[in-house]
Amino acid sequence: MPWPFCHMDAPHKKLRLPEWYVSSLMMDRALDAVVRRVKNLDRKHDIPYLAGYSRDGKTIYIDRHMPPSLRYRGRDIDTDRFLILHEEVEKTLIDQLDLHYLHAHQIATRAEQAAVRAAGIEWRDYDRFMQKYVKEIGDERLIQVPADLDEKPYRDEHDTDLLARMNAAIDKNQVPKAIGKARLRQAADRLRDHIGQRRTTKGGRRRAEKK
């Protein structure tokens, strides 16, 4: 079944320039091609950083509080497709090229930015809309977290605040049954150990450089 925001007529429109030129229409086609390949889109959970993906890459998660559209200059813009592009590019670069999350995130953000601009939207307006919800969702309690959410972005970001909230959720018995206390505690411990190890390594490197 086609996605409701895919432009199925776009491939039939004749381009004035060669298809390998930079083109807003070609970017729109490429975006549709990526969206159509998503096996499962889930909007039923709480997702830190607004969106994420399952460990096997088969599910794209968008936070349940994130509006699916943006009212922009008289148009309703489907924003899910831009988030899907970002997550798919990021996950592919991490899994296929073994990139660090922060590097993959930078490339994925550039792709998202290009797609947004190709749709005739000012990036600053789109980003302002997104950042508003990143802040709101980042401040809430994590109640419905998918059990298979890929944790690599949070580990690579050294997100100590998220770690604290994960532990708080455990202590207050707010852990989804699908995950369980033991599993979430184990994930929190891995994240804490990872952060501690990176700090120790960086500290040792700085001391060695001083010598």
Side-chain angles (χ1 to χ4, degrees):
M1 179 179 178
W3 292 88
F5 40 74
C6 286
H7 306 292
M8 301 306 293
D9 294 332
H12 303 289
K13 186 175 179 180
K14 181 67 175 178
L15 290 174
R16 295 182 179 180
L17 296 173
E19 295 189 353
W20 45 268
Y21 272 46
V22 173
S23 161
S24 293
L25 178 58
M26 282 304 299
M27 186 69 220
D28 197 57
R29 291 181 185 179
L31 179 56
D32 283 345
V34 171
V35 170
R36 285 198 296 269
R37 284 165 173 73
V38 174
K39 295 180 174 61
N40 184 35
L41 174 62
D42 184 303
R43 284 183 129 272
K44 301 176 182 178
H45 295 85
D46 298 316
I47 309 298
Y49 306 160
L50 275 186
Y53 31 76
S54 59
R55 285 186 291 273
D56 62 10
K58 294 182 179 180
T59 300
I60 296 296
Y61 291 107
I62 297 178
D63 192 279
R64 62 195 178 102
H65 297 101
M66 178 67 202
S69 64
L70 160 67
R71 186 69 178 174
Y72 185 77
R73 296 179 181 176
R75 294 187 294 156
D76 288 322
I77 306 297
D78 295 296
T79 53
D80 278 6
R81 60 204 305 259
F82 303 124
L83 292 174
I84 289 172
L85 174 66
H86 181 114
E87 301 305 321
E88 284 287 350
V89 169
E90 184 177 284
K91 178 64 171 172
T92 299
L93 290 173
I94 289 173
D95 286 358
Q96 300 301 319
L97 298 181
D98 197 28
L99 288 190
H100 189 284
Y101 159 73
L102 293 176
H103 297 162
H105 175 74
Q106 284 294 314
I107 297 173
T109 299
R110 298 304 194 278
E112 180 183 4
Q113 188 178 68
V116 167
R117 288 174 171 167
I121 306 167
E122 293 288 341
W123 175 254
R124 64 176 181 274
D125 297 331
Y126 170 86
D127 189 54
R128 187 183 303 117
F129 173 75
M130 289 293 174
Q131 290 302 323
K132 180 174 63 174
Y133 290 97
V134 167
K135 182 178 180 181
E136 291 177 0
I137 293 172
D139 290 342
E140 73 177 3
R141 293 175 299 177
L142 295 173
I143 299 175
Q144 299 183 36
V145 181
D148 65 344
L149 182 66
D150 195 331
E151 300 166 353
K152 181 176 175 57
Y154 316 120
R155 292 198 305 269
D156 286 358
E157 279 276 19
H158 304 163
D159 196 334
T160 54
D161 177 66
L162 176 59
L163 174 59
R165 287 188 287 121
M166 289 169 66
N167 281 316
I170 296 170
D171 295 336
K172 294 179 180 179
N173 295 316
Q174 294 172 342
V175 181
K177 293 182 180 179
I179 300 178
K181 284 187 178 181
R183 182 169 181 180
L184 187 53
R185 178 73 73 182
Q186 184 180 30
D189 288 343
R190 286 202 307 270
L191 180 56
R192 182 195 60 213
D193 294 343
H194 177 79
I195 293 171
Q197 183 179 7
R198 289 296 295 268
R199 286 177 175 171
T200 300
T201 301
K202 288 182 179 179
R205 185 180 299 116
R206 283 195 295 269
R207 287 194 294 271
E209 289 173 353
K210 288 181 180 180
K211 292 180 180 179

